């Protein structure tokens, strides 16, 4: 299956959304901090990103892992970069 490409913010939001919808997270009312995705060399499945150090996730390891793996299966991190010197990502020139 070919993965769709998303920005770091979009991937972070999608993982957060899936975690926050998990019944055990809703039931406990916990807020889990979702880190920014980090680019990596593609793994055996072809995924080019990962996330580490989720905050306030003790006891929710399985939930976090399932959400992360599901999003990694569907999406890759966009390799497009904007001009980091421009606040709005305007093209150079």
């Amino acid at each position: 299956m070919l993965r769709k490409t998303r920005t770091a913010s979009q991937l972070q939001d999608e993982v957060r959304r899936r975690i926050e919808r998990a019944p055990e997270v809703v039931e406990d009312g916990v807020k889990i901090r979702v880190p920014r995705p980090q680019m990596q060399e593609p793994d055996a499945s072809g995924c080019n990103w990962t996330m580490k150090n989720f905050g306030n996730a003790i006891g929710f390891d399985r939930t976090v892992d399932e959400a992360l793996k599901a999003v990694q299966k569907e999406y890759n991190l966009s390799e497009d970069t904007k001009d980091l010197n421009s606040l709005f990502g305007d093209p150079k020139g």
Side-chain angles (χ1 to χ4, degrees), residues 10-53:
Q10 289 170 323
L11 291 173
Q12 185 179 28
D13 289 345
E14 183 63 16
V15 172
R16 180 182 298 114
R17 184 184 68 77
R18 292 181 191 211
I19 289 171
E20 289 176 352
R21 285 187 169 179
E24 59 275 16
V25 173
V26 171
E27 183 178 312
D28 284 2
V30 67
K31 290 291 183 192
I32 296 173
R33 186 188 60 77
V34 178
R36 298 280 290 179
Q38 301 296 311
M39 186 74 74
Q40 68 178 12
E41 287 296 317
D43 61 17
S45 73
C47 181
N48 71 350
W49 63 279
T50 192
M51 289 179 165
K52 297 178 182 174
N53 303 319

